[in-house]
Amino acid sequence: MSSSGDCEYVRGFGKLLAYMESTVKNDLLLVASLSDVHRLARRKILPKEGVTRSGVHYVVHGAGCRFSHADGREVDVDFLSDGRPIFDSWRVLNYIISVDPDYFGGRESVYRACKAMVGMGEIFEPRSAWFSLVSGSPPEE
């Protein structure tokens, strides 16, 4: 797959992540951001695994959460201290496989696409090899 094709997958990851955030915020009363799912589950206010009213399945793990659409697409993110979701090439690769089981690229190809998108200003890299969607100014961390 070409770098531009991999960039399209990264954009798809971003679109699904934005959809998940909007849907989860609408479905769960106490949730104002995806990081709230993680925080509330750690405090045992929400279960560590659940399904929202719209059918989004979530699993809280370590420093993040995996969100799965009913059609099988999934995004997995960790969170910065300010609650901003971050992802690495492995998480994007898992998304790609969830939408295109025949994908023949690899993690390095996805990483190069993410780096190219940083150069284009589409995403930023708040930590080495960890990326985040552009929405306002990048946080300091």
Side-chain angles (χ1 to χ4, degrees):
M1 168 84 31
S2 69
S3 179
S4 63
D6 285 333
C7 288
E8 286 305 313
Y9 283 125
V10 177
R11 289 181 190 106
F13 178 96
K15 288 177 185 173
L16 183 58
L17 181 59
Y19 167 82
M20 292 296 189
E21 180 146 26
S22 173
T23 302
V24 170
K25 284 171 27 178
N26 286 332
D27 287 356
L28 299 175
L29 184 62
L30 300 173
V31 172
S33 69
L34 291 179
S35 64
D36 286 342
V37 174
H38 186 267
R39 182 180 54 81
L40 293 169
R42 293 282 179 220
R43 292 183 179 170
K44 300 186 184 329
I45 296 169
L46 285 177
K48 288 188 177 182
E49 184 172 347
V51 179
T52 72
R53 206 173 43 228
S54 297
V56 172
H57 180 256
Y58 69 88
V59 177
V60 173
H61 60 75
C65 294
R66 184 178 67 244
F67 298 91
S68 303
H69 191 278
D71 67 8
R73 295 176 297 154
E74 67 177 48
V75 291
D76 189 345
V77 293
D78 282 2
F79 299 102
L80 293 173
S81 59
D82 70 354
R84 186 182 304 258
I86 59 173
F87 53 90
D88 61 1
S89 58
W90 179 79
R91 285 168 171 78
V92 176
L93 182 59
N94 284 338
Y95 158 78
I96 294 169
I97 292 167
S98 78
V99 299
D100 183 0
D102 297 325
Y103 176 74
F104 58 87
R107 188 172 176 183
E108 183 60 32
S109 178
V110 173
Y111 175 75
R112 285 192 307 272
C114 288
K115 292 296 276 188
M117 291 177 70
V118 168
M120 293 184 281
E122 292 188 51
I123 62 176
F124 68 97
E125 189 174 8
R127 291 187 188 150
S128 179
W130 285 87
F131 305 96
S132 188
L133 303 178
V134 172
S135 58
S137 301
E140 295 294 320
E141 179 143 332

